Amino acid sequence: MPELPEVEVVKRSLVDKIQNSIVKAVKINDGRLRYRVDKNKIKKIIGLKIKKISRRSKFLLFFFNNNSVMLVHLGMTGKFFFINQKNTKYKTSFYYDINEDKDKKHDRVIFHLSRNQKLIYNDVRKFGFIKFIKNINLKQNLHLKNLGPEPLEKKFNFSYFKQYIINKNRTIKDILMDQKFVSGLGNIYANETLFFSGIKPTKKVKNLSEREIRKIIKFTKKILSKAIALGGSSIKNFSSDNGKKGLFQQYFCVYGKKGEKCSKKSCGSNIIKIIISNRATFYCDKCQK
């Protein structure tokens, strides 16, 4: 599943390609996604302009000029393709290289846009979804209302962190993965953040020092920013709109490194893999206390 940096790269690709385009028609090849696509609601965006595209956590939001919002979650294998007026196809997503024969059968929804352009929602496993809501109801939406602050925003700070963990007996890895605490942070970046912070994933949050809290915040922001700048992580061949693969996976220090030597030259220990809350967790027992 794509994490915040990957979804942010997708968002930026879409902004560059289709923001301010007008929806001319919509074709639903298969609306049986995680939630069935509402044919009546999706038809109502025909003739409307895509005024803005934004991201909240791992969700994409398309704002139209009638105050409606298309909420998209990419699930495990959801992705967007963009086709320009010259019929050239671009990736704005991840997982696969463009393959016309294989892609076509998984094209679920096709948005015909102004200037003879198209936006295709493609989803192999159909765990993603497309929903429509009113802008006025956005903050109360089931998928959005309980999300914590964005990790790159100022609201994710020391005061917020310290207050949130009071009387909590959970592990730091578990709480970093909790979207109610901080939104969009997933397994890859939680592992990497804790490595650079020098904190063992199983450490209870009630035992964190103020210095450790500040380090977690610092490295969360630093690592996510670097991942976005590098185009995301090429898990399953993630690529941005220009076809360049994400490079951040080249900088992984612990994620997926079970049994390998710690990247710190002065260490020499091997990376350990355990399971926390049903998620693979990687750490160095020597560097992370």
Side-chain angles (χ1 to χ4, degrees), residues 40 85 186:
N40 292 324
Q85 58 267 51

Side-chain angles (χ1 to χ4, degrees), residues 269-282:
S269 293
N270 293 332
I271 301 301
I272 296 170
K273 177 185 177 182
I274 59 174
I275 303 296
I276 298 178
S277 299
N278 297 317
R279 301 301 299 272
T281 301
F282 303 88

